[in-house]
């Protein structure tokens, strides 16, 4: 692919009822101070984990983030060569990780979580079986290739050997409410079903913190970086998978208590060639309303899109889902149409650039 920049911006407005989907160290919903008021906040880490979970459920290429990568490799070695005993497999695994420059502790685990794809595990196992003498460059090559979509999108940091780092091609912002929130508390009691009828009082009592909010969510994908991590075809399809699962996913904190799973009210996707643009500045002055926040949030977001257009190039494509009469982009009827148009636009850009090359 060319050196020309290409970014995909995903802007989402989503209303969430009473919930506690992402807790802080005290068990309360996370918050942020923005525009001088307290906002509901959902961390980018928790939403990326939710996306990765959807990848796995949808059979999208997804890796595993674990300290037990050595155990997975040993299991794969024994699967390929059933004659291997545990000690031989463990010895081969130790040599592979030593060649990779990754330390294993006494429990045969890595010191930090390692995101590794299934393809990397398979190829490492085959390489270890095919070669008595290990080439560090070849081991590194295996660990940088066959990237799963989540690895290519969210990257990987390996403190033991930075050569194995993978630069993330996606950035995900912390979601924040478009308006001020006031923390609320659900005081509850529970009765013992076997408690005698002549006995009064609860067997348990407590409280759960929660809030409700209309969230602004934002993510972007650097297409050049994603193509570098994967290839052009997989990158284009991977962006569609990411957009879909970013929209339908939600962190699962206290989900059984609040049943708070909702879907976006509004989605704005742009393809840009100059710079990604987070439009959260639309809500620096918090939305105020006595009749709901979604409509006013949509209006403010589209106004901010128009304001920021004074600073950036005209996007290649701007698509809107959730507002038929949008004045900022082409409205689409459903998610499938949105993904089809994003894929077509990306394919055209990549094809044109390859032709020019």
């Amino acid at each position: 692919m060319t050196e020309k920049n290409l970014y995909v911006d995903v802007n989402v407005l989503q209303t969430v009822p009473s919930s506690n989907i992402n807790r802080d160290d005290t068990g309360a919903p996370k918050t942020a101070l923005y525009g001088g008021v307290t906002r509901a906040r959902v961390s980018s880490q928790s939403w990326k984990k939710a996306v990765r979970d959807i990848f796995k459920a949808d059979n999208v290429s997804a890796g595993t983030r674990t300290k037990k990568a050595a155990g997975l490799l040993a299991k794969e070695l024994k699967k390929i060569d059933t004659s291997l005993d545990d000690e031989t497999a463990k010895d081969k695994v130790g040599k592979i990780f030593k060649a990779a420059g990754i330390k294993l502790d006494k429990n045969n685990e890595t010191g930090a979580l390692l995101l590794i794809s299934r393809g990397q595990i398979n190829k490492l196992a085959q390489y270890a079986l095919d070669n008595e003498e290990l080439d560090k460059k070849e081991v590194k090559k295996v660990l940088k290739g066959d990237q799963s979509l989540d690895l290519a999108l969210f990257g990987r940091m390996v403190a033991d050997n930075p050569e194995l780092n993978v630069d993330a091609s996606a950035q995900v912002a912390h979601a924040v409410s478009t308006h001020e929130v006031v923390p609320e508390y659900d005081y509850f009691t529970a009765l013992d079903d076997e408690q005698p009828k002549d006995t009064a009082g609860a067997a348990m009592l407590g409280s759960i913190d929660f809030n409700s909010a209309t969230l602004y969510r934002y993510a972007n994908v650097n297409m050049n970086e994603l193509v570098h991590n994967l290839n052009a075809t997989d990158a284009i399809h991977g962006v569609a998978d990411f957009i879909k699962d970013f929209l339908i996913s939600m962190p699962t904190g206290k989900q059984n208590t609040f049943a708070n799973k909702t879907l976006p009210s509004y989605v704005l996707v742009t393809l840009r060639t100059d710079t990604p643009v987070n439009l959260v500045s639309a809500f620096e002055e918090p939305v105020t309303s006595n009749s709901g926040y979604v409509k006013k949030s949509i209006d403010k977001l589209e106004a901010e899109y128009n304001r920021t257009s004074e600073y950036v190039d005209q996007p290649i494509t701007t698509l809107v889902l959730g507002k038929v009469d949008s004045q900022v982009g082409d409205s689409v009827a459903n998610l499938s149409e949105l993904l089809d148009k994003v894929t077509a636009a990306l394919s055209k850009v990549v094809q044109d650039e390859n032709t020019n090359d």
Side-chain angles (χ1 to χ4, degrees), residues 64 66-78 86 89-98 102-105 107-112 114 116 121 124-125:
T64 184
T66 180
K67 290 185 176 184
K68 303 180 185 300
L72 294 176
L73 181 54
K75 184 177 180 179
E76 186 63 25
L77 282 167
K78 293 171 68 177
D86 290 344
K90 183 178 179 180
D91 181 63
K92 286 185 177 293
V93 168
K95 290 178 179 178
I96 281 285
F97 274 78
K98 183 176 180 180
I102 302 175
K103 298 175 183 177
L104 296 176
D105 62 19
N107 296 317
N108 216 34
E109 296 183 355
T110 55
L114 177 69
I116 189 168
I121 292 172
L124 279 176

Side-chain angles (χ1 to χ4, degrees), residues 26-87:
T26 69
K30 289 185 177 179
T31 58
L33 192 65
Y34 184 58
V37 300
T38 300
R39 313 293 183 108
R41 176 173 66 90
V42 183
S43 73
S44 58
Q45 297 94 322
S46 66
W47 223 300
K48 284 188 282 189
K49 173 62 166 61
V51 171
R52 292 182 64 242
D53 288 343
I54 295 288
F55 280 175
K56 293 173 183 177
D58 285 351
N59 292 318
V60 173
S61 170
T64 184
R65 188 174 58 177
T66 180
K67 290 185 176 184
K68 303 180 185 300
L72 294 176
L73 181 54
K75 184 177 180 179
E76 186 63 25
L77 282 167
K78 293 171 68 177
K79 179 180 177 182
I80 297 174
D81 185 350
T82 56
S83 68
L84 286 182
D85 58 35
D86 290 344
E87 283 303 313

